[in-house]
Amino acid sequence: MTDLAHTGTAPLSDDGRPGRAARATLRRAAPALLAYAGTRLLGLVVLTVWGAFADKSPHQLLSARWDSLWYTRIAQEGYGYTLHLADGSVHSNLAFFPLLPALERVVSAITPLSAADAGLAVSWLTSLLAAWGIFAVGDLLYGRRVGTTLAVLWGVLPVGIVQSMAYSESLFTALAAWGVYAALTRRWLSAGALAALAGLTRPVGAAVVAAVWMAAAVELLPDGRWRQAWRTRPRALAGVILAPLGWLGYVVWVGFETDSVTGYFDVQNGWGNGFDGGLAFAGFIGGLLIRPPFVAGLGLLLGVAALIWLYTRCVRQRQPLPLLAYGGAVLVLALAAKGYFGSKPRLLIPAFPLLLPIAIALARLRPVRTALVLGSVGLASAAYGAFWLHGSGPP
């Protein structure tokens, strides 16, 4: 892939030694992981102090609210639970993809942890794996300083506290980041397997599939190479076939469970979710703009404009096509979904490629200034996360 040529980092193949490469990558990533862990520790400390004044348990806020309760119930009882609300909404737990509750069930079976605490353990561990993968992508493309800055930026997102909750965002981002890295470095079997697992974690797993397919297209399509791909590049073809199996398999299974080809999408509609091209979200912003004090509407409008500008910067920086495909797909799926508008910042957590332009700019500063900026943003993020979790609405 010519996109990587300017970095001086040679793409790797499936023929390398994964154990040795992993150890070398971990040593190189250690400063980034320590800095990232510091951001998460700061968030937990602020949440604990806030909880002491509010007389609320940080443990309950992190492990037993909103979506985490649904994951825990699936881990304990399996699928089949449906909640009928007074407004006519039908909330089925089939809306939640199975990998996180499956891991909760396994961890709670082999340790003294409850399913809820197992969810926390999975989230905390995979948040470090996600930061490592994000570092690896940034390091591969732009060097160690950018990779470190990118990982810390991901940790200080305004809703970064979700990375420490018993939610699926950390697990998904870990699989996505390493899946994209594998696609960029032509580790086709790893890329396909990670994309399949990401597809078993969240609906946006389709974005990782897009990254793998784009990488394979760059590899196979020029000069008609796809005609002999089964003989000359069988691993690439295997990765392409593997990638969608997780997402597709779960959607098909829900179809059988509901006796409907559109079963999964019907379940999402019961929750008020779905894909409408952003019409409902645009209407929501418009409604806020025509009612005083207008601040919320203006803030959302500026936020959407900033996200689009960041993606445009990613394109102008000529990021590799698989990374653009992944970041763009996450952005579109988050903004164009209807319902649960307050959850959109959380849905954008996996969109780490959008942070690359900021990471590049910060990495050009003196290290002390970079640290001051990231530290200040991290403190603000920790305070906002504590405020957010002590509110009434789900993130």
Side-chain angles (χ1 to χ4, degrees), residues 64 129 133 145 184 195 201 214 218 269 335 343 358 370:
L129 293 175
R145 281 195 66 184
L184 292 173
T201 308
M214 183 61 71
V218 171
N269 284 331
L335 295 183
S343 297
I358 304 174
T370 303

Side-chain angles (χ1 to χ4, degrees), residues 170-383:
S170 290
L171 173 61
F172 175 80
T173 306
L175 295 168
W178 283 109
V180 170
Y181 179 83
L184 292 173
T185 54
R186 301 176 187 173
R187 296 174 179 268
W188 299 113
L189 296 180
S190 298
L194 288 164
L197 289 172
L200 286 171
T201 308
R202 294 189 62 80
V204 74
V208 191
V209 177
V212 175
W213 282 2
M214 183 61 71
V218 171
E219 177 78 8
L220 298 176
L221 292 184
D223 304 320
R225 280 178 262 175
W226 60 272
R227 295 187 181 92
Q228 298 297 322
W230 63 272
R231 181 171 56 85
T232 60
R233 292 174 175 81
R235 291 176 181 268
L237 277 182
V240 167
I241 295 169
L242 271 175
L245 294 184
W247 185 92
L248 187 62
Y250 183 68
V251 170
V252 170
W253 179 78
V254 173
F256 279 110
E257 288 292 301
T258 57
D259 295 321
S260 171
V261 174
T262 60
Y264 175 75
F265 306 100
D266 296 338
V267 167
Q268 287 287 359
N269 284 331
W271 279 80
N273 288 331
F275 188 87
D276 67 351
L279 293 177
F281 188 40
F284 176 73
I285 295 175
L288 293 175
L289 287 171
I290 62 175
R291 294 195 302 269
F294 314 112
V295 176
L298 286 172
L300 279 175
L301 199 60
L302 289 174
V304 172
L307 290 168
I308 294 173
W309 179 81
L310 283 173
Y311 186 74
T312 302
R313 288 293 302 163
C314 292
V315 174
R316 290 179 177 176
Q317 287 174 348
R318 300 183 65 184
Q319 291 181 12
L321 290 176
L323 199 63
L324 291 175
Y326 169 74
V330 174
L331 181 62
V332 169
L333 291 172
L335 295 183
K338 61 181 181 180
Y340 294 90
F341 304 117
S343 297
K344 290 195 181 294
R346 173 173 65 84
L347 300 180
L348 286 163
I349 284 178
F352 66 89
L354 300 183
L355 299 173
L356 262 170
I358 304 174
I360 292 170
L362 286 175
R364 290 173 179 161
L365 302 177
R366 293 180 178 178
V368 173
R369 291 185 178 179
T370 303
L372 285 174
V373 171
L374 292 175
S376 300
V377 175
L379 185 59
S381 172

Side-chain angles (χ1 to χ4, degrees), residues 56-78:
K56 288 188 177 181
S57 165
H59 176 265
Q60 183 177 14
L61 292 174
L62 293 171
S63 66
R65 293 192 76 186
W66 306 312
D67 288 8
S68 58
L69 293 172
W70 288 86
Y71 285 122
T72 299
R73 181 184 286 270
I74 295 170
Q76 293 172 334
E77 304 173 4

Side-chain angles (χ1 to χ4, degrees), residues 33 41 82 94 99 115 127 275 286 300 304 353 364 391:
L33 296 182
L41 180 60
T82 301
L94 290 170
L99 187 56
S127 70
F275 188 87
L300 279 175
V304 172
R364 290 173 179 161

